Amino acid sequence: MCPNIRLLNATPNGAIYWFKHSDMAQVIFKNLCFDFYRLEYNAFLKYICGLDALQIEKKNRMSLHHKKISIPTGNANLTLLLDREELMEFQNLFKKRPKDTVLENPLEEIDYPMILN
């Protein structure tokens, strides 16, 4: 990988890259890609990590959508729709992890097919 690009964190469905030369972050999650300058990234991180999935699901329980967690993007024509598990993974993407860490939930955090005999 280019020395000017650093992987900050990754999950099975996403990754965050930091581009040193432009002082920008690129957040990739499923089929979404966000480019943020430092200030925007910090504001988005604070917002996403402060979301309470249960509260949002309760508020949107009558929604027609299967995914009850709606996240506005700042563009009136675009809203992210996530379920609780997707939001938890998205939030975990923004949490810095030490290099040597104990997995909190190994069955969900290890991304490989398990074959039980």
Side-chain angles (χ1 to χ4, degrees):
M1 185 176 282
C2 177
N4 288 325
I5 301 172
R6 192 176 78 183
L7 176 66
L8 297 182
N9 202 0
T11 64
N13 293 302
I16 300 177
Y17 297 97
W18 189 260
F19 296 87
K20 294 178 188 177
H21 61 281
S22 58
D23 201 33
M24 289 184 73
Q26 186 173 72
V27 178
I28 300 168
F29 186 72
K30 295 200 171 205
N31 64 337
L32 303 171
C33 180
F34 304 93
D35 293 321
F36 297 111
Y37 288 106
R38 183 181 297 272
L39 203 59
E40 296 168 326
Y41 174 78
N42 289 333
F44 190 73
L45 179 147
K46 184 177 179 182
Y47 176 75
I48 291 298
C49 291
L51 294 176
D52 181 353
L54 295 175
Q55 179 183 354
I56 298 170
E57 284 179 330
K58 184 178 178 182
K59 177 183 158 195
N60 295 332
R61 71 182 176 276
M62 300 303 285
S63 169
L64 299 174
H65 306 293
H66 172 69
K67 297 182 179 195
K68 302 293 184 193
I69 300 171
S70 60
I71 301 172
T73 62
N75 182 330
N77 299 323
L78 180 65
T79 301
L80 306 180
L81 294 176
L82 305 173
D83 60 30
R84 187 180 314 159
E85 291 78 24
E86 289 171 328
L87 178 61
M88 287 174 50
E89 182 180 349
F90 199 42
Q91 289 173 325
N92 284 335
L93 188 59
F94 288 94
K95 295 178 182 176
K96 292 185 178 178
R97 295 183 182 190
K99 289 186 180 187
D100 299 321
T101 183
V102 175
L103 299 177
E104 295 174 15
N105 192 345
L107 293 177
E108 292 179 9
E109 293 183 50
I110 297 174
D111 186 27
Y112 62 87
M114 183 180 285
I115 301 171
L116 300 173
N117 291 335

